[in-house]
Amino acid sequence: MDWYGDFINRLITCRACSRLVGYRESVKPLPKFSNEVYWRKPVPSWGDLPNAKIMIAGLAPAAHGGNRTGRMFTGDDSAQFLFRALYEVGLANKSYSVSMDDDVVVRCIYITSVVKCAPPNNKPSGEEIHTCVNNWFRYELEHVRPRAIIALGHIAFEGIKLALGIRAGFRHGDYIDFNGVRIFMSYHPSPRNTNTGRLRMEDLVRILRMAMEYAGCAST
Ligand code: SF4
């Protein structure tokens, strides 16, 4: 766990991707958050260290989610869907994730993203994905050393493959094994997927349970 504090301290000063730095710092607050000071920096990962056996990796923080609250998968609709699922399987003590001081505690998981800064339209470029994976995400993988990884969305899966140097196609609900690590694939819990039924709560819960069983995270 010693690595984590140093990692976050270094991460939040990163300015390697000029387009993303410009965007994260210029996002205009939504009216409903107009009294908040946005984080506007690379968004820290978080989790149950040093006990995390499952890494949950999204694509990148949302402009009004992590880029506002300063914690990955916190404060937007995708986060609420994810945390309802995590609560359902006993990996979180609350069914929401709204702010850094919301008293949410997770167990056995580490929540991260392959790109650490909010991209315009949720679309980082290939070069930005490479830069962030090479600068930060691979380092996290090497230090968390998860037994299972859940890729939320195909671009997150691309980042994981890049970090590990593997080739495979994305198939929702499926998994691949690499050096003893099982990598599960799920559609991203974005409103576009969850509101259309492309990703249902029972699907995500099932994937979480499979990862828990493989990684040895006992149900509560
Ligand atoms: Fe740095 Fe990653 Fe943000 Fe690029 S996306 S500026 S590499 S933290």
Side-chain angles (χ1 to χ4, degrees), residues 11 14-17 20-21 24 42 115-117 131-132 135-136:
L11 170 70
C14 183
R15 304 180 70 82
C17 309
L20 299 191
V21 171
R24 79 189 188 205
V115 172
K116 310 297 186 190
C117 295
T131 302
C132 210
N135 282 0
W136 305 111

Side-chain angles (χ1 to χ4, degrees), residues 40-159:
R40 300 189 193 287
K41 295 187 284 257
V43 176
S45 320
W46 58 299
D48 178 14
L49 293 173
N51 306 311
K53 294 178 181 164
I54 302 172
M55 174 180 273
I56 298 176
L59 162 61
H64 304 283
N67 189 55
R68 173 174 61 88
T69 61
R71 195 177 69 181
M72 193 55 205
F73 274 112
T74 300
D76 62 344
D77 289 345
S78 301
Q80 308 325 309
F81 192 92
L82 174 62
F83 271 78
R84 284 204 300 280
L86 292 173
Y87 178 75
E88 168 82 19
V89 300
L91 292 177
N93 68 333
K94 312 274 188 198
S95 59
Y96 53 80
S97 170
V98 292
S99 69
M100 275 205 254
D101 57 2
D102 58 10
D103 295 326
V104 170
V105 178
V106 296
R107 70 172 188 88
C108 212
I109 60 172
Y110 181 84
I111 299 171
T112 187
S113 55
V114 297
V115 172
K116 310 297 186 190
C117 295
N121 302 314
N122 296 316
K123 284 193 182 131
S125 69
E127 183 181 349
E128 289 159 351
I129 294 171
H130 270 77
T131 302
C132 210
V133 166
N134 289 333
N135 282 0
W136 305 111
F137 180 67
R138 184 178 292 117
Y139 182 87
E140 281 184 301
L141 262 177
E142 290 168 357
H143 286 75
V144 175
R145 299 168 61 87
R147 292 216 62 218
I149 304 171
I150 301 175
L152 295 177
H154 79 275
I155 301 179
F157 186 59
E158 292 299 314

Side-chain angles (χ1 to χ4, degrees), residues 157-178:
F157 186 59
E158 292 299 314
I160 292 163
K161 288 192 303 178
L162 181 65
L164 295 175
I166 56 178
R167 298 167 77 98
F170 179 89
R171 280 200 306 273
H172 171 67
D174 204 352
Y175 63 80
I176 57 169
D177 290 330
F178 177 72

Side-chain angles (χ1 to χ4, degrees), residues 54 81-82 84-86 88-89 91 150 152 171-175 182 184-187 198-214 219:
I54 302 172
F81 192 92
L82 174 62
R84 284 204 300 280
L86 292 173
E88 168 82 19
V89 300
L91 292 177
I150 301 175
L152 295 177
R171 280 200 306 273
H172 171 67
D174 204 352
Y175 63 80
R182 184 158 290 183
F184 295 87
M185 296 161 247
S186 169
Y187 292 134
R198 192 167 191 233
L199 177 66
R200 299 170 303 167
M201 182 58 64
E202 56 262 43
D203 298 332
L204 186 53
V205 164
R206 182 175 55 80
I207 292 166
L208 287 171
R209 287 197 199 285
M210 288 195 299
M212 289 168 71
E213 184 175 351
Y214 182 81
S219 301

